[in-house]
Amino acid sequence: MAPKPQRRKTLKRSKAKPALPVREEEEPINMESVGHPEIYPLVLTTMTQEIFNCRIDEDVTDEQPYKLIKKEDIFADFESRAAVSDFYPVKKLVQEYPGEELLLIYDKDFKYGLNFYLIGTEEGKENYLNPPEVPEEQEDYKEYISEDIYIYKPPVSKPWVSLGSEKEIEEESVKESTKQITHVISRKRSGFGAPVKFSDRKAPSVRDAHIECTAYPDKNFTLKQLERDVGLQAVPQIRDTSTQTRCVEIALQQNEIMNTFIDDWKSLAEEEGTFGDKTDTHLREYQSFTDLHNLTEKMITCVCWHPVIYGLIAVSVAVRLSFEERVHFSGKLLLQPSLILFWSFSDPIQPQLMLESPDDIFCFKFCPSDPNIIAGGCVNGQIVMWDITAHADQIENIKAGGKRSKKVTLKPMFLLEPESNKEAMYVRQCAVSSIENGHRKVITDIHWLPDTFEINRLGSVFENRSGISCQLVTCSADCTICFWDIRPQKALTPQPPTEKKKEERIEIPFDIPSTFLHLDLSWKPLSKIRLSKGETTLDHCPTKLSLGEDNLLYKAQDKILAQSRAVKAGEMNPYQNLEGGLASHLKPIDDFCTKFFVGTEEGEVIYTDWKMERDPETGRLMAKKPVSLYSVHDGAVHTVQRSPFYEDIILTVGGWNVAIWKEGVMAGPLLQSSCAPKRYTSGHWSLTRPGVFYIGREDGYIDIWDLLEKTHEPAQSQNICITTITCIKPWTFSAKQQFIAIADYYGTLHILEIPWTLSHPSSNEASSISHYFEREVRHLEYVEQRKKIREQEKKEMDLELEKKKIKTYQKSKERLESEVKMDYDNYLELEKNTLISLGLIKLKETISYVEMM
């Protein structure tokens, strides 16, 4: 323990405190006169105060503000905490200190800047613990001095020493370099508060009405350059020489500046022939068609432009009823005709042709090899075939009427017999598929296979030697995708001669072509694919599909025109004598991609294969599992279409958003729009601009997307009608004129003219859009890599957490066992002491008792 001060009573009587720290009200004691040592301020943290028992207001107080610390304790702190110790700054002092205990004083008022300080010598420690005696006269004098009296200390002036700061202040200070100009504005007292009226007047009509302020140099604002960096380099003199004549040089420069092979007259004609202004970006109404003869509530389900004839467009109409309403009104619906109407720009009131069908048509397509052959899908699941070759001349007259030729004057002669004319406009179907072997529900999409290949029932691809399209693919709401062949199939078992005679007796009506008589009511699909959902018994319900060769059909217009002209010239129609069944010796196409995209009713986009495989257990043919499946759309998919410019880019529209995909990229869509204000119902790529596509909405608006302008939202929106848009189909007639057909839910077909900005691409638009798609692919790859890295990091973190849990469990188990053992030992010790204190056992018995336990 530290020794107590010897003059404790004297200090109490005179109310004097130790010499350090000195109160501010009292005059400090002269340290040199009393031999006070050097002082070493320290900062002691709460942890250090607890270690050395010098806690503020507990161990050190105002009455006893000091503590004696042993050198051994400080050395032990050095060993345990090293440089972290609060005594480390005075380590040398502690090592050289002669005594065994150091005096630590609490500096409450921070007189020396920190909360504690050390006395560096033994003499200083003795002077602090045993201060010198104060004369009684001085003590009596201090008794009369009040502690609250403030002693004024006058400031002592010191000479100012310049360190260069006044120069920095002088340089940084702002000084006025120009003389201030003073303006005095005065006004008569009578003018205050008077009404003011401002007006315009012409400056030339009034003298001195304007003043011209011309620029002039002002010397007061000229900047003087104080310093400039100049670099010099010695270089040889250069001289340009040429041996080419002047005229040839000018010609070469012109060749580099402009294209000399361009046809200026042709460019001038195209420039003058364009409609509207180049800044016009809105679709303009050109014409509209409505069937006035059938006023029942019908909607347009599908639209197709005629591949060859200008201004001729076909639409299929269906009754606006739900499935339950169709069942309820089935009797009345049988009395109403189900039609495909052919409209012409030359006659917006009367349809030029009307194709009959057994039920409402929801999709149809012109044959890419012959535009007179049409295939359609019904609401009852049947496929219908038409051949309008007999009406080709009438369609050509429609084309001539559209051009205002002389043949238009012959039309009034036929108005005398409207009934016969109207009767001649109806065209009956050539063939209908079998109800038992076809689709069970409405056919939602139909496509012709190109004339470059054909498939067999296993889905293998072979070359098409005939050079005409003979196969179809359809999808239906019954969760199946079917491939069809329009050629007669070879019978597996020979028919008896009686049946052949019966078939020969069948009389064909005069108005029905016999082109597809062999298919009527007996047409079966070549192969059928079910899109299974995996382990469940449910299947995906396809609504739209897109094959890998769809983009070839956009470029087949010239070929179709050539074939139609050949048929018209008198050559035999290639569909009149079709080969029976598939050829036995066809060359297979090995490197053909048999995968295609499918949109479902649940908003899923599926990438699957049409090749069939055999079940190893049952041996039956079954469809392969989908390659990939994405749930992107929040509603039924209405459009799955490949780009006319990029064969591996696909547009899908469904629900409230749009997505663009790239074939072969499994990470997801390249572009996925945010939710639109209204549900999307249809969409289509632009036929001339790679970065433009059109999207129809349920509120009658059409969104026009331009990827060169915006990629996160439509470039513009335009109102077309007041009801749902059901179908969109653009068409290009020439480089100067392009149309887009938009059908609505009320049965009206709107024909709009596409403006110049939406029909003419820029010089590098194709490459810019291609680079955009490539960037998005790289972005998806980066995101996938980051996902894998994050998953790996998460696995490592989970594994580390498991290891920590196991270690914690082991430690807690060992600690629990040690605590139980300690408690048991304490119990044995307590039991032994209790027995000894009660005199029940003696010391020898205790030893034997402990050994026994």
Side-chain angles (χ1 to χ4, degrees):
M1 295 296 292
K4 297 183 179 180
Q6 296 178 2
R7 295 182 57 85
R8 185 175 183 87
K9 295 182 179 180
T10 305
L11 292 173
K12 186 176 180 180
R13 179 180 60 82
S14 61
K15 300 181 181 179
K17 292 186 178 180
L20 292 174
V22 182
R23 288 171 42 178
E24 294 182 359
E25 293 82 356
E26 298 178 356
E27 185 177 356
I29 301 175
N30 190 357
M31 300 300 174
E32 296 179 358
S33 62
V34 298
H36 199 281
E38 188 176 2
I39 294 174
Y40 298 91
L42 289 174
V43 175
L44 300 186
T45 60
T46 306
M47 183 177 180
T48 305
Q49 295 175 17
E50 293 178 355
I51 293 173
F52 292 95
N53 295 326
C54 57
R55 293 170 293 183
I56 298 173
D57 295 334
E58 294 183 7
D59 300 322
V60 289
T61 59
D62 293 341
E63 290 78 12
Q64 189 175 356
Y66 61 88
K67 184 74 175 182
L68 291 173
I69 307 297
K70 294 182 179 181
K71 288 174 61 175
E72 298 176 357
D73 298 339
I74 298 177
F75 289 149
D77 190 50
F78 286 159
E79 293 178 0
S80 61
R81 296 196 295 171
V84 184
S85 175
D86 294 337
F87 289 96
Y88 192 80
V90 293
K91 181 178 180 181
K92 186 176 180 181
L93 172 66
V94 175
Q95 292 175 351
E96 297 177 355
Y97 191 76
E100 295 297 328
E101 294 180 339
L102 285 84
L103 180 61
L104 178 68
I105 301 173
Y106 170 47
D107 191 357
K108 179 181 179 181
D109 299 327
F110 292 89
K111 186 174 183 63
Y112 298 101
L114 302 176
N115 58 354
F116 287 90
Y117 59 87
L118 279 174
I119 303 299
T121 60
E122 284 286 330
E123 183 182 0
K125 181 174 72 173
E126 290 297 327
N127 290 335
Y128 183 84
L129 297 176
N130 302 316
E133 296 182 359
V134 181
E136 294 182 359
E137 296 178 357
Q138 188 175 355
E139 290 181 358
D140 296 338
Y141 174 73
K142 287 185 177 181
E143 289 179 358
Y144 291 102
I145 297 176
S146 176
E147 295 181 358
D148 298 331
I149 296 176
Y150 175 74
I151 300 175
Y152 173 72
K153 299 177 182 179
V156 179
S157 60
K158 298 179 181 179
W160 180 74
V161 179
S162 175
L163 299 177
S165 59
E166 71 279 0
K167 294 182 180 180
E168 296 180 1
I169 296 173
E170 184 71 18
E171 291 176 357
E172 297 294 335
S173 62
V174 179
K175 296 181 180 180
E176 296 181 357
S177 60
T178 58
K179 185 179 179 180
Q180 294 183 351
I181 302 174
T182 305
H183 294 275
V184 178
I185 301 174
S186 62
R187 188 179 186 182
K188 294 182 180 181
R189 184 180 296 274
S190 60
F192 288 97
V196 180
K197 182 178 181 182
F198 296 98
S199 62
D200 298 334
R201 64 180 181 180
K202 297 182 179 180
S205 61
V206 183
R207 184 179 180 183
D208 298 334
H210 69 283
I211 299 175
E212 184 178 1
C213 299
T214 58
Y216 64 94
D218 191 353
K219 296 181 180 180
N220 297 325
F221 291 97
T222 57
L223 299 177
K224 185 179 180 180
Q225 189 173 10
L226 299 178
E227 185 179 355
R228 181 172 63 181
D229 294 335
V230 179
L232 299 177
Q233 178 68 35
V235 295
Q237 294 182 357
I238 300 174
R239 183 176 61 182
D240 295 336
T241 58
S242 61
T243 58
Q244 187 64 271
T245 57
R246 182 65 179 170
C247 59
V248 178
E249 183 181 358
I250 294 174
L252 292 175
Q253 291 177 357
Q254 289 178 351
N255 290 340
E256 293 294 332
I257 294 173
M258 61 181 295
N259 185 8
T260 58
F261 299 100
I262 193 171
D263 189 352
D264 297 333
W265 291 104
K266 185 177 180 181
S267 302
L268 182 62
E270 289 184 359
E271 191 71 21
E272 293 177 352
T274 55
F275 64 92
D277 189 7
K278 292 184 180 181
T279 59
D280 186 14
T281 59
H282 288 80
L283 303 174
R284 297 194 301 175
E285 185 81 19
Y286 184 81
Q287 206 165 6
S288 62
F289 300 96
T290 304
D291 188 10
L292 301 178
H293 300 283
N294 298 318
L295 299 179
T296 56
E297 296 182 352
K298 290 190 175 182
M299 62 177 179
I300 297 178
T301 57
C302 186
V303 176
C304 283
W305 293 89
H306 196 280
V308 178
I309 300 176
Y310 171 86
L312 188 64
I313 186 171
V315 298
S316 60
V317 293
V319 182
R320 301 196 301 267
L321 295 176
S322 62
F323 177 77
E324 291 79 7
E325 293 173 341
R326 282 181 175 273
V327 174
H328 182 70
F329 298 106
S330 59
K332 295 181 180 180
L333 294 178
L334 292 176
L335 302 177
Q336 298 180 5
S338 300
L339 304 172
I340 294 179
L341 308 177
F342 280 71
W343 294 101
S344 175
F345 286 178
S346 61
D347 189 358
I349 298 177
Q350 181 70 27
Q352 305 303 316
L353 283 177
M354 289 184 284
L355 309 184
E356 294 181 341
S357 64
D359 211 335
D360 288 344
I361 299 293
F362 270 74
C363 57
F364 69 96
K365 285 286 177 13
F366 287 94
C367 178
S369 299
D370 186 359
N372 295 323
I373 305 299
I374 304 169
C378 294
V379 68
N380 62 357
Q382 287 182 296
I383 297 181
V384 186
M385 299 291 295
W386 294 273
D387 185 0
I388 59 173
T389 307
H391 303 272
D393 294 337
Q394 181 182 355
I395 295 176
E396 289 296 328
N397 293 334
I398 294 171
K399 179 181 178 182
K403 293 184 178 180
R404 298 182 180 179
S405 64
K406 295 181 180 180
K407 293 183 180 180
V408 182
T409 58
L410 298 177
K411 285 187 175 181
M413 296 178 62
F414 297 96
L415 294 177
L416 298 176
E417 298 177 358
E419 294 183 359
S420 60
N421 186 24
K422 184 177 180 181
E423 191 69 26
M425 292 165 54
Y426 285 92
V427 179
R428 297 177 63 181
Q429 69 271 8
C430 296
V432 181
S433 64
S434 171
I435 298 179
E436 295 82 4
N437 300 306
H439 292 291
R440 303 292 182 180
K441 293 183 180 180
V442 55
I443 298 176
T444 56
D445 201 6
I446 186 170
H447 291 269
W448 286 89
L449 268 64
D451 55 4
T452 57
F453 69 92
E454 61 184 51
I455 66 171
N456 59 5
R457 59 190 303 266
L458 298 178
S460 301
V461 182
F462 299 88
E463 64 175 358
N464 188 350
R465 294 181 180 178
S466 62
I468 59 175
S469 298
C470 297
Q471 292 182 339
L472 295 160
V473 58
T474 58
C475 64
S476 172
D478 62 353
C479 305
T480 60
I481 297 175
C482 294
F483 288 86
W484 308 78
D485 198 318
I486 62 176
R487 295 171 293 189
Q489 303 296 317
K490 294 182 180 180
L492 299 178
T493 56
Q495 294 180 347
T498 55
E499 293 184 3
K500 291 184 179 179
K501 292 181 180 180
K502 290 182 180 179
E503 290 184 358
E504 292 176 356
R505 295 176 184 175
I506 296 176
E507 296 182 358
I508 304 173
F510 69 94
D511 58 343
I512 298 179
S514 60
T515 311
F516 303 106
L517 181 64
H518 57 278
L519 301 177
D520 194 20
L521 299 177
S522 62
W523 194 11
K524 300 178 182 179
L526 182 66
S527 63
K528 185 179 293 187
I529 300 174
R530 280 192 173 273
L531 301 177
S532 176
K533 287 188 177 181
E535 298 178 356
T536 62
T537 58
L538 302 177
D539 298 327
H540 296 285
C541 181
T543 55
K544 296 292 179 180
L545 56 87
S546 174
L547 302 179
E549 301 293 328
D550 281 352
N551 62 331
L552 299 178
L553 301 180
Y554 293 111
K555 306 174 183 179
Q557 184 173 358
D558 296 337
K559 185 176 180 181
I560 294 174
L561 181 60
Q563 291 179 352
S564 63
R565 288 176 179 174
V567 173
K568 184 179 178 182
E571 296 181 4
M572 184 176 294
N573 193 329
Y575 288 95
Q576 293 293 338
N577 294 325
L578 296 175
E579 296 181 1
L582 294 173
S584 58
H585 302 287
L586 291 178
K587 182 180 178 181
I589 304 176
D590 298 329
D591 57 347
F592 193 90
C593 180
T594 58
K595 298 179 179 62
F596 62 103
F597 282 86
V598 180
T600 67
E601 194 174 24
E602 294 83 8
E604 300 165 332
V605 178
I606 302 174
Y607 188 56
T608 186
D609 197 336
W610 72 52
K611 276 191 175 181
M612 308 288 285
E613 61 181 6
R614 293 192 179 275
D615 190 354
E617 297 180 357
T618 61
R620 298 177 57 184
L621 290 176
M622 57 182 298
K624 294 182 179 180
K625 293 183 179 180
V627 179
S628 59
L629 187 146
Y630 307 92
S631 298
V632 174
H633 301 286
D634 44 11
V637 178
H638 300 286
T639 300
V640 179
Q641 186 187 30
R642 291 182 181 266
S643 171
F645 301 91
Y646 314 101
E647 60 182 16
D648 56 348
I649 298 298
I650 297 92
L651 171 69
T652 59
V653 181
W656 278 263
N657 60 350
V658 179
I660 296 179
W661 311 77
K662 184 177 178 65
E663 190 171 11
V665 178
M666 302 301 175
L670 304 184
L671 183 146
Q672 182 179 354
S673 67
S674 58
C675 290
K678 295 293 182 178
R679 185 167 53 91
Y680 287 148
T681 55
S682 59
H684 204 286
W685 284 101
S686 171
L687 301 181
T688 54
R689 288 196 55 187
V692 174
F693 54 90
Y694 308 93
I695 306 297
R697 302 192 325 205
E698 65 178 354
D699 59 349
Y701 278 79
I702 183 170
D703 290 344
I704 303 174
W705 287 72
D706 190 350
L707 299 181
L708 286 182
E709 184 177 349
K710 297 179 181 179
T711 57
H712 65 285
E713 63 181 0
Q716 59 175 316
S717 297
Q718 183 176 343
N719 180 257
I720 305 299
C721 54
I722 61 173
T723 184
T724 303
I725 294 176
T726 58
C727 189
I728 296 176
K729 193 64 66 74
W731 195 251
T732 302
F733 293 105
S734 65
K736 304 176 184 178
Q737 194 174 34
Q738 297 182 20
F739 295 106
I740 183 170
I742 301 176
D744 64 17
Y745 188 69
Y746 287 164
T748 302
L749 179 65
H750 306 268
I751 307 296
L752 296 98
E753 207 165 4
I754 301 176
W756 189 92
T757 54
L758 296 177
S759 59
H760 289 71
S762 60
S763 59
N764 59 345
E765 180 171 348
S767 60
S768 299
I769 297 300
S770 179
H771 292 160
Y772 166 71
F773 290 147
E774 292 175 0
R775 289 196 305 270
E776 292 302 318
V777 170
R778 290 194 296 269
H779 173 71
L780 287 176
E781 292 175 354
Y782 172 76
V783 172
E784 286 297 315
Q785 292 177 1
R786 296 303 304 170
K787 284 183 179 178
K788 293 179 180 178
I789 293 173
R790 294 300 183 189
E791 290 176 358
Q792 184 65 24
E793 291 178 352
K794 186 178 179 182
K795 290 180 181 178
E796 292 177 357
M797 292 175 62
D798 295 341
L799 185 61
E800 190 69 23
L801 187 61
E802 281 296 323
K803 290 181 179 178
K804 288 183 179 179
K805 287 182 178 179
I806 293 173
K807 289 181 181 179
T808 305
Y809 174 74
Q810 292 176 352
K811 289 182 180 179
S812 60
K813 186 177 180 181
E814 293 175 357
R815 186 182 301 172
L816 183 62
E817 291 177 355
S818 62
E819 290 178 356
V820 171
K821 185 177 180 181
M822 187 181 296
D823 293 341
Y824 183 69
D825 294 340
N826 294 335
Y827 168 74
L828 293 178
E829 185 69 22
L830 178 62
E831 184 181 14
K832 182 187 71 172
N833 296 334
T834 304
L835 293 175
I836 292 173
S837 62
L838 294 176
L840 298 177
I841 59 175
K842 296 181 180 179
L843 184 57
K844 293 181 180 180
E845 295 177 357
T846 302
I847 296 172
S848 60
Y849 175 77
V850 171
E851 292 177 353
M852 180 182 63
M853 296 301 292

